[in-house]
Amino acid sequence: MRHLFAFTALAALLVAAPLTAKAADEFTLTIKDHKFSPAELKVPANKRVTITVINSDPTPEEFESESLKVEKIIAGNAKATVRIGPLKPGRYGFFGEFHEDTAKGVVIAE
Amino acid sequence: MLGALVIVFREVLEAGLIIGIVMAATRGVEGRGRWVAIGVGAGILGAAIVAAFAGVIAEAFEGIGQELFNAGVLGAAVVMLMWHNAWMARHGREIAMEMKQIGSAVSEGARPLTALAVVVGLAVLREGSEVVLFLYGIFAQGTSGLSLLTGGLLGILAGAAFTGLTYAGLLAIPQRYIFAVTSWLIALLAAGMAAQSAQFLYAAGVINHLGETVWDTSWLLTEKSLFGQLMHTLVGYVAQPTALQVVAYVAALAAMFVLMRIARYRPQARPVEA
Ligand SMILES: [Cu+2]
């Protein structure tokens, strides 16, 4: 059973590997004290982009954006991957739904 | 406090609208209250479990577990709603006729009831896990979170009240139209869910096409406003939809109509004695 498990994990890794390798455009956002940093994130336009969101707060947060079409919960002291784009050049607002008054940011595609 | 109220209200509203429609759609069918209650109970339990394992779910499958989970929950709800509508297209007339005298249709009525109970459960599961996480976050912040907690609880109450309003509003529709109206509502509801589900698959990288935004009507109506939220849940309104969302929406609606037609035509091909 354990072998089967390891084999499945390996197979999953092999399948996932090209996916990860393809995503050259990776960015990081950090949540700390219910604020995003950087609050302005520049990404290339017309490309799929991967953003790793690191939540350094102990409480969960929901990364949300109508224009980026993202809705993702990040547990406290955890990180999550968000895939966005391809985006036309422009500004795209996002926010942390659980702390909307402080957790705000914008993705700038150019 | 107001912020907490709004967030929780929004989540409860989404699930509540679905519950209200389900209650209206099963009007006159015996045992529906029990089934809906089971759905709500299972949904809340599931939501608590999902919230507890949020981190694990998110990290599963190379960080796309949450998207796959959401896509799966929504997809399952779409299938259940289609099943219900097809079943209703076939038996709705009998049920309407036999509504007062509890006949064979009622025992048969238990079948779409399970489907709808599942839909209610899935809706509560999805929206509820957000509420549970949010309230947990408030708890974790300690005493300063007390007014937030009050807001959250008021949000739940307001959402529940809205569910009642939806139900009451639908009840105002004359009995003989109620099946037609709720069938439409359920078809649009399912189409909206299908679009959302497809978008989660796109976010997960399972689907990699049709990601371009087709139009932007956020100047007219954003999904964040109360009316926008209503339209989002009820008919799947999205201010900036992708081509994928539009395709999924239209495809789900078309599939629903084809299914209902097939379901409706069969009794004519093979007449059932009344
Ligand atoms: Cu929600």
Side-chain angles (χ1 to χ4, degrees):
Chain A
M1 202 57 199
R2 182 164 287 201
H3 282 286
L4 183 70
F5 203 78
F7 176 76
T8 317
L10 193 72
L13 219 76
L14 284 174
V15 173
L19 264 174
T20 338
K22 209 167 60 183
D25 296 290
E26 292 188 26
F27 298 86
T28 305
L29 268 176
T30 306
I31 302 168
K32 182 83 195 138
D33 302 322
H34 313 309
K35 281 190 197 105
F36 286 107
S37 72
E40 286 194 359
L41 187 68
K42 288 203 170 88
V43 303
N46 304 313
K47 253 186 178 172
R48 283 206 89 175
V49 171
T50 304
I51 303 173
T52 303
V53 186
I54 302 167
N55 185 3
S56 307
D57 287 332
T59 53
E61 186 55 275
E62 184 170 64
F63 182 94
E64 194 171 328
S65 169
E66 211 175 298
S67 52
L68 295 171
K69 293 165 223 16
V70 177
E71 213 186 328
K72 183 139 181 164
I73 289 168
I74 307 134
N77 292 317
K79 61 179 181 178
T81 310
V82 166
R83 285 170 188 77
I84 57 167
L87 300 171
K88 292 192 193 101
R91 295 169 67 86
Y92 300 82
F94 62 84
F95 56 93
E97 196 185 13
F98 296 165
H99 302 92
E100 214 177 314
D101 34 350
T102 54
K104 277 183 220 135
V106 57
V107 166
I108 301 165
E110 52 182 31
Chain B
M1 191 190 105
L2 199 66
L5 195 156
V6 170
I7 289 170
V8 175
F9 172 68
R10 224 156 43 195
E11 304 299 344
V12 176
L13 175 69
E14 285 184 48
L17 284 173
I18 293 167
I19 295 170
I21 292 172
V22 164
M23 287 294 281
T26 53
R27 187 181 171 192
V29 181
E30 198 163 289
R32 68 189 181 133
R34 185 160 37 96
W35 281 105
V36 170
I38 290 172
V40 172
I44 291 174
L45 188 71
I49 295 170
V50 167
F53 292 102
V56 182
I57 291 174
E59 273 164 43
F61 304 106
E62 298 268 310
I64 54 170
Q66 202 178 110
E67 285 84 351
L68 294 182
F69 177 79
N70 277 329
V73 166
L74 288 164
V78 170
V79 171
M80 289 291 157
L81 290 173
M82 283 190 174
W83 177 24
H84 168 81
N85 254 12
W87 197 94
M88 274 323 239
R90 189 155 181 187
H91 298 283
R93 213 170 302 139
E94 308 157 35
I95 293 186
M97 282 189 298
E98 298 179 29
M99 198 105 70
K100 296 238 159 69
Q101 35 162 316
I102 300 139
S104 60
V106 171
S107 55
E108 278 185 282
R111 272 191 284 155
L113 276 184
T114 39
L116 287 181
V118 172
V119 169
V120 166
L122 291 173
V124 174
L125 174 70
R126 188 173 127 64
E127 306 307 332
S129 51
E130 283 177 50
V131 174
V132 173
L133 270 175
F134 178 67
L135 292 180
Y136 160 75
I138 290 171
F139 266 121
Q141 275 166 350
T143 46
S144 64
L146 196 66
S147 77
L148 285 174
L149 192 63
T150 318
L153 294 177
L154 284 176
I156 292 179
L157 281 180
F162 216 98
T163 303
L165 270 181
T166 312
Y167 178 59
L170 287 172
L171 274 197
I173 297 165
Q175 182 106 10
R176 60 209 162 95
Y177 300 127
I178 196 116
F179 285 134
V181 171
T182 52
S183 289
W184 269 100
L185 279 176
I186 284 176
L188 295 172
L189 197 72
M193 284 179 170
Q196 254 182 300
S197 179
Q199 194 57 37
F200 274 117
L201 290 178
Y202 183 83
V206 174
I207 298 174
N208 283 301
H209 298 282
L210 303 169
E212 315 76 38
T213 301
V214 189
W215 70 72
D216 183 356
T217 44
S218 54
W219 56 272
L220 186 69
L221 181 63
T222 70
E223 291 145 61
K224 297 212 71 192
S225 63
L226 179 59
F227 188 62
Q229 187 73 29
L230 270 174
M231 294 324 273
H232 176 67
T233 308
L234 283 180
V235 302
Y237 172 77
V238 177
Q240 298 168 45
T242 61
L244 179 66
Q245 285 176 306
V246 176
V247 167
Y249 189 93
V250 173
L253 213 51
M256 181 77 91
F257 280 119
V258 169
L259 261 176
M260 285 169 73
R261 291 227 118 177
I262 293 171
R264 199 171 289 141
Y265 273 127
R266 253 182 76 182
Q268 279 182 357
R270 187 169 52 86
V272 181
E273 261 132 273

